[in-house]
């Protein structure tokens, strides 16, 4: 298990991931947009979000680096747009880490099953570090 870096962008994640793919000579990135996610009738997707990057990943010199645009209306602060992502195939570990990290911090998304992970959550710890914790299904970092 490794800690992965996750960069957030303010509407230009596609440009950034394509730039870094060129710089580091990686394979073409697979880019998933918010518009490609399964629809949720209780949370309709705004038109301006459909083309934004929900998730993309590159392997830069063997290390996975993930990218996303912030969802419209969510805060974006340049310089604070880096998250650390922990993936494990042990949901017990994920729950334990999450519960310990959230003490004195702020839960962004409570642990839950999503279409990309059977156990995912995110939080800002008491030191201001944003963590994403996710079940690793064995298909590689960040893949559903």
């Amino acid at each position: 298990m490794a800690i992965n870096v996750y960069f957030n962008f303010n509407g230009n994640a596609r440009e950034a991931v394509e730039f870094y793919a060129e710089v580091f000579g990686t394979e073409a990135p697979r880019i998933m947009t918010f518009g490609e996610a399964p629809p949720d009738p209780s949370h309709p997707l705004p038109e301006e979000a459909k083309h934004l990057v929900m998730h993309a990943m590159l392997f830069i010199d063997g290390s996975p680096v993930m990218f996303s645009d912030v969802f419209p209306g969510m805060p974006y602060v340049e310089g604070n747009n880096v998250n650390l992502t922990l993936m494990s195939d042990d949901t017990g570990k994920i729950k334990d880490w999450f519960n310990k990290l959230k003490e004195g911090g702020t839960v962004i998304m409570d642990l839950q099953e999503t279409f990309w992970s059977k156990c995912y959550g995110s939080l800002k710890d008491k030191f201001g570090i944003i963590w994403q914790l996710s079940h690793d299904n064995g298909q590689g970092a960040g893949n559903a």
Side-chain angles (χ1 to χ4, degrees):
M1 175 196 58
I3 295 176
N4 300 313
V5 177
Y6 207 117
F7 291 114
N8 293 120
F9 294 86
N10 197 23
N12 60 343
R14 180 180 301 276
E15 178 185 356
V17 75
E18 289 173 351
F19 171 77
Y20 292 124
E22 169 104 13
V23 167
F24 296 106
T26 71
E27 290 184 20
R30 191 179 118 223
I31 298 173
M32 174 189 266
T33 65
F34 286 105
E36 294 173 286
D40 180 352
S42 61
H43 296 95
L45 188 64
E47 192 62 38
E48 68 269 19
K50 291 181 179 179
H51 73 283
L52 295 175
V53 174
M54 179 176 175
H55 179 78
M57 184 176 64
L58 297 176
F59 282 93
I60 298 175
D61 201 26
S63 295
V65 179
M66 296 176 273
F67 304 79
S68 178
D69 283 310
V70 294
F71 197 80
M74 297 296 290
Y76 172 84
V77 179
E78 193 170 307
N80 291 342
N81 54 333
V82 178
N83 298 255
L84 299 178
T85 304
L86 274 171
M87 298 185 70
S88 174
D89 61 1
D90 184 336
T91 55
K93 277 186 181 178
I94 293 169
K95 291 174 183 177
D96 184 52
W97 293 333
F98 190 88
N99 288 327
K100 289 176 180 176
L101 284 167
K102 76 179 184 181
E103 289 299 319
T106 305
V107 172
I108 298 167
M109 183 175 173
D110 213 349
L111 283 176
Q112 60 191 273
E113 186 168 345
T114 65
F115 73 89
W116 69 86
S117 174
K118 72 178 189 179
C119 184
Y120 173 86
S122 63
L123 58 89
K124 183 188 293 188
D125 71 19
K126 65 183 176 181
F127 301 105
I129 305 300
I130 297 175
W131 295 87
Q132 297 183 59
L133 291 89
S134 186
H135 180 262
D136 183 354
N137 65 5
Q139 294 182 10
N143 292 331

